[in-house]
């Protein structure tokens, strides 16, 4: 059985001066090494091509040529000549350990079908043990990784991790935010994938990895495929991807603008096209860490990102699945540059939900958090439209929305802001409070309304009485206008009733005429 397993490995390497080797060493295209596995490898693995998921990182199996050759950059001559992949690292001299590392990594490029647990059990176990041994070797950090080792490692991760999720898997994986209690779907190959992810993480964070060399292989294409995996329905995989992408961002400074741009594109597609993606929360968590590292003053591109990406993310129905991470990103921007608080509040007012009460409660919570950090100048820029919206929430028939809006007065910082600007805010809110006090159906909301009304009265009794007098005058004027309108309609009805009925003339039927006596 082991002979059959090892027969999948290549038997011959190219000459060191071959054109293919030069082409492989000069770039990051892994496709020149995609012929390292024979056609029988794809058949034996069962899931090889599906797990691979991409032309650049694809496994072989597309060529019908019987004899396969491989670049010596991936499989050095010493490996092919006699390094046994199953040998432990402690049994080979230090000079051969890196060759053995490449040989073991190449062995792990063989993929298997994990949907059937009874299939290829021995081979799966051999691969698992090899991956664990590689993980221990990388964690030990005993020697610097050579360029062929980096290339082989990136290719092995691409073969095992990069895959396209089936359509039915993707369709069933997207939540609208209302079915958060649904059980997530777990990948049957996760025990195997987890070791590969752990190995990639240790490899990237290893002090033995030269970032200047590795950036040619952990390139834009590699990063894009890594970002595609964030749509996995398995939360364990997304958690691993979050850690790995964060380490990549930290280690490869040259890739930082590209990573931010690529993540922004995912957000754009989510907000304006699909509203379906599993990894928005994890991507926002990464961005929260990135924002905290922005230098001051903030660049214009970062402010544009706040306006065009972060604020529109409040729009989708599934906001509840990533609201905590989104709110954190918003507060990071405000802490970096307090002047952005008015921009954020205007953005929230723009995307304020009208028919979704759960989202309204979330928005009010975020408003409270922002008002705790806002300065007086920025507050005065937005207080009129803001408290007009808060007034609408206080009058909401949904008691949770009204209650959450009234809870703002439990915050001393917000009360202080209101007190300093009561000349503007009280005339906006007093009609709202009076309407609630007279007619709201919920007793808890009614009690909170009376408490807020009392706070305004104690804050400035003269202003309160003046606003209250204006309110009564407005109510009287509105009542007078309504009475005049009613009388005008009654006159029209009486005039129409006296007109003779001729031909197809419409007849006014009064309620009295249509009433039925019991």
């Amino acid at each position: 059985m082991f002979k059959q397993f090892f027969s999948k490995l290549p038997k011959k390497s190219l000459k060191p001066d071959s054109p293919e080797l030069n082409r492989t060493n000069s770039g990051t295209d892994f496709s020149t090494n995609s012929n390292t596995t024979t056609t029988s490898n794809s058949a034996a693995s069962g899931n090889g091509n599906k797990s691979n998921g991409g032309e650049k990182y694809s496994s072989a199996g597309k060529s019908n040529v019987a004899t396969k050759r491989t670049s010596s950059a991936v499989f050095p001559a010493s490996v092919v000549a006699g390094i046994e992949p199953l040998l432990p690292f402690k049994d080979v001299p230090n000079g051969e350990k890196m060759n053995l590392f490449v040989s073991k990594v190449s062995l792990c490029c063989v993929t298997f079908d994990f949907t059937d647990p009874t299939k290829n059990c021995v081979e799966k176990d051999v691969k698992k043990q090899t991956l664990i041994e590689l993980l221990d070797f990388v964690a030990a950090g005993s020697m610097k990784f050579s360029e062929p080792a980096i290339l082989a490692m990136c290719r092995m991760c691409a073969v095992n991790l990069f895959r396209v999720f089936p359509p039915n898997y993707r369709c069933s994986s997207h939540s609208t935010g209302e079915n958060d209690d649904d059980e997530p779907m777990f990948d049957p190959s996760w025990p195997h994938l987890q070791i590969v992810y752990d190995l990639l993480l240790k490899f990237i964070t290893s002090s033995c990895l030269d970032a200047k060399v590795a950036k040619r292989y952990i390139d834009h294409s590699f990063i894009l495929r890594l970002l595609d995996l964030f749509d996995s329905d398995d939360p364990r995989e997304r958690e691993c991807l979050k850690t790995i992408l964060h380490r990549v961002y930290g280690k490869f400074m040259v890739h930082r603008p590209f990573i931010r741009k690529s993540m922004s594109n995912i957000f754009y597609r989510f907000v304006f096209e699909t509203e379906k993606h599993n990894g928005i929360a994890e991507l926002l968590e990464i961005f929260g860490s990135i924002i905290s590292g922005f230098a001051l003053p903030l660049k214009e591109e970062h402010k544009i990102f706040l306006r065009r990406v972060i604020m529109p993310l409040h729009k989708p129905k599934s906001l509840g699945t990533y609201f905590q991470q989104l709110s954190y990103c918003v507060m990071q921007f405000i802490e970096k540059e307090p002047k952005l608080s008015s921009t954020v509040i205007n953005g929230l007012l723009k995307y304020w939900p009208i028919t979704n009460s759960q989202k309204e409660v979330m928005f009010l919570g975020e408003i409270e958090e922002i008002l705790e950090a806002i300065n007086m100048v920025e507050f005065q820029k937005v207080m009129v439209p803001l408290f007009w919206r808060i007034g609408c929430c206080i009058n909401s028939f949904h008691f949770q929305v009204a209650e959450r809006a009234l809870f703002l007065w439990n915050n001393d910082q917000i009360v202080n802001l209101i007190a300093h600007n009561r000349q503007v805010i009280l005339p906006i809110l007093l009609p709202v409070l009076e309407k609630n006090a007279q007619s709201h159906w919920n007793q808890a909301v009614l009690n909170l309304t009376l408490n807020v009304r009392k706070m305004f009265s104690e804050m400035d009794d003269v202003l309160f009485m003046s606003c209250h007098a204006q309110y009564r005058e407005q109510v009287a004027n509105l009542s007078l206008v309504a009475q005049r309108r009613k009388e005008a309609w009654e006159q029209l009805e009486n005039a129409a009733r006296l007109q003779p009925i001729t031909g197809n003339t419409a007849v006014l039927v009064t309620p009295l005429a249509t009433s039925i006596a019991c």
Side-chain angles (χ1 to χ4, degrees):
M1 182 175 291
F2 288 112
K3 286 184 178 180
Q4 184 181 4
F5 186 61
F6 291 124
S7 67
K8 299 171 184 177
L9 294 176
K11 302 300 183 184
K12 187 177 181 181
S13 64
L14 293 178
K15 295 179 180 179
D17 56 348
S18 67
E20 184 172 347
L21 175 57
N22 295 333
R23 188 165 62 251
T24 302
N25 289 335
S26 63
T28 61
D29 193 347
F30 300 140
S31 62
T32 57
N33 301 299
S34 64
N35 291 334
T36 57
T37 342
T38 61
T39 307
S40 62
N41 176 20
S42 297
S45 63
N47 200 26
N49 290 336
K50 183 171 78 173
S51 297
N52 194 347
E55 292 181 5
K56 190 170 185 180
Y57 301 103
S58 62
S59 264
K62 298 179 181 179
S63 173
N64 294 324
V65 181
T67 304
K68 298 291 182 181
R69 298 193 302 170
T70 180
S71 169
S72 60
V74 180
F75 302 111
S78 58
V79 177
V80 179
I83 296 293
E84 173 61 53
L86 295 183
L87 278 175
F89 281 103
K90 60 184 177 63
D91 291 347
V92 297
N94 289 336
E96 293 294 330
K97 281 186 178 180
M98 197 50 62
N99 290 336
L100 179 59
F101 176 82
V102 173
S103 183
K104 286 179 178 290
V105 168
S106 303
L107 180 69
C108 294
C109 287
V110 182
T111 56
F112 300 102
D113 180 10
F114 284 87
T115 57
D116 185 359
T118 63
K119 201 173 179 182
N120 304 113
C121 295
V122 176
E123 290 87 345
K124 289 176 184 175
D125 190 58
V126 170
K127 183 178 179 181
K128 180 181 178 181
Q129 295 304 320
T130 306
L131 285 169
I132 293 173
E133 194 174 356
L134 288 170
L135 182 61
D136 294 338
F137 177 78
V138 172
S142 56
M143 60 177 58
K144 187 176 180 180
F145 293 106
S146 63
E147 186 168 353
I150 296 171
L151 175 57
M153 184 68 188
C154 290
R155 179 181 174 275
M156 186 275 290
C157 291
V159 167
N160 284 277
L161 299 178
F162 298 162
R163 60 206 190 279
V164 177
F165 303 116
N168 57 343
Y169 183 92
R170 294 170 65 92
C171 290
S172 64
S173 65
H174 301 301
S175 171
T176 60
E178 298 176 359
N179 299 321
D180 295 334
D181 295 333
D182 291 350
E183 288 293 328
M185 294 176 61
F186 295 110
D187 195 321
S189 61
W190 174 247
H192 159 74
L193 291 174
Q194 184 179 19
I195 304 173
V196 180
Y197 276 119
D198 290 343
L199 178 57
L200 178 58
L201 178 61
K202 291 288 185 183
F203 181 72
I204 290 172
T205 57
S206 174
S207 58
C208 299
L209 179 65
D210 187 352
K212 293 181 179 178
V213 178
K215 71 181 181 182
R216 298 203 293 266
Y217 303 102
I218 302 178
D219 59 357
H220 289 180
S221 186
F222 189 94
I223 291 168
L224 282 175
R225 299 305 304 277
L226 207 62
L227 285 168
D228 287 342
L229 294 176
F230 274 90
D231 205 13
S232 169
D233 192 52
D234 196 324
R236 301 168 299 181
E237 182 169 14
R238 298 198 302 269
E239 192 67 23
C240 285
L241 286 163
K242 179 184 72 176
T243 306
I244 289 171
L245 186 63
H246 193 270
R247 300 303 182 192
V248 169
Y249 187 89
K251 186 150 191 167
F252 301 97
M253 295 184 66
V254 68
H255 292 328
R256 289 182 179 183
F258 177 79
I259 292 174
R260 292 198 301 268
K261 181 180 177 182
S262 300
M263 292 171 70
S264 298
N265 290 338
I266 293 175
F267 293 139
Y268 284 136
R269 196 177 305 116
F270 170 71
V271 172
F272 299 110
E273 294 181 13
T274 64
E275 288 198 11
K276 294 178 180 179
H277 197 285
N278 290 310
I280 298 299
E282 288 78 11
L283 290 171
L284 283 172
E285 194 169 338
I286 296 170
F287 240 114
S289 300
I290 292 173
I291 295 166
S292 64
F294 283 163
L296 294 176
L298 289 177
K299 296 179 181 178
E300 187 61 29
E301 67 168 289
H302 302 326
K303 297 178 184 179
I304 292 173
F305 175 79
L306 171 65
R307 293 194 299 268
R308 297 184 181 177
V309 178
I310 294 295
M311 298 316 300
L313 278 169
H314 289 82
K315 181 181 177 182
K317 295 179 181 178
S318 57
L319 173 66
T321 61
Y322 57 85
F323 176 74
Q324 183 178 355
Q325 293 83 358
L326 181 62
S327 180
Y328 177 77
C329 289
V330 169
M331 293 310 300
Q332 286 295 306
F333 271 109
I334 293 175
E335 287 176 12
K336 285 284 181 181
E337 192 163 321
K339 289 183 179 180
L340 292 173
S341 54
S342 58
T343 302
V344 170
I345 290 178
N346 283 326
L348 287 173
L349 294 175
K350 177 181 178 181
Y351 295 105
W352 198 277
I354 304 300
T355 59
N356 192 324
S357 300
Q358 291 180 346
K359 285 182 65 176
E360 275 195 284
V361 173
M362 294 179 200
F363 274 52
L364 287 166
E366 190 170 359
I367 286 289
E368 180 175 6
E369 198 172 356
I370 294 168
L371 290 180
E372 287 179 348
I374 198 171
N375 59 48
M376 190 64 70
V377 175
E378 298 301 317
F379 176 75
Q380 289 173 347
K381 290 179 183 178
V382 296
M383 61 182 179
V384 173
L386 174 62
F387 278 91
W388 181 85
R389 174 53 63 188
I390 290 174
C392 292
C393 292
I394 291 173
N395 279 156
S396 173
F397 288 113
H398 196 293
F399 78 96
Q400 289 179 335
V401 175
E403 196 173 51
R404 186 66 187 85
L406 290 164
F407 278 155
L408 293 174
W409 274 261
N410 291 339
N411 190 303
D412 293 338
Q413 173 66 16
I414 297 175
V415 171
N416 184 51
L417 290 170
I418 294 172
H420 280 83
N421 298 277
R422 58 186 181 274
Q423 299 285 347
V424 176
I425 295 174
L426 184 55
I428 297 173
L429 290 182
L430 187 64
V432 173
L433 296 173
E434 291 297 326
K435 181 180 178 181
N436 257 24
Q438 294 170 12
S439 60
H440 203 283
W441 65 272
N442 186 271
Q443 187 62 41
V445 172
L446 182 61
N447 293 336
L448 287 169
T449 301
L450 294 176
N451 288 339
V452 171
R453 188 175 179 274
K454 183 180 179 182
M455 287 177 66
F456 275 117
S457 177
E458 294 173 350
M459 195 180 292
D460 191 334
D461 188 55
V462 175
L463 177 63
F464 182 84
M465 295 305 297
S466 173
C467 291
H468 197 268
Q470 290 179 6
Y471 169 72
R472 287 200 302 269
E473 185 179 346
Q474 288 176 0
V475 170
N477 290 336
L478 289 174
S479 178
L480 182 61
V481 169
Q483 181 64 29
R484 288 175 178 173
R485 185 186 302 113
K486 182 179 179 181
E487 291 173 356
W489 276 108
E490 286 178 352
Q491 291 176 3
L492 289 173
E493 289 174 1
N494 291 333
R497 191 180 298 113
L498 296 175
Q499 293 293 326
I501 301 174
T502 57
N504 295 326
T505 304
V507 179
L508 178 66
V509 180
T510 62
L512 184 62
T514 58
S515 61
I516 301 175
C518 297

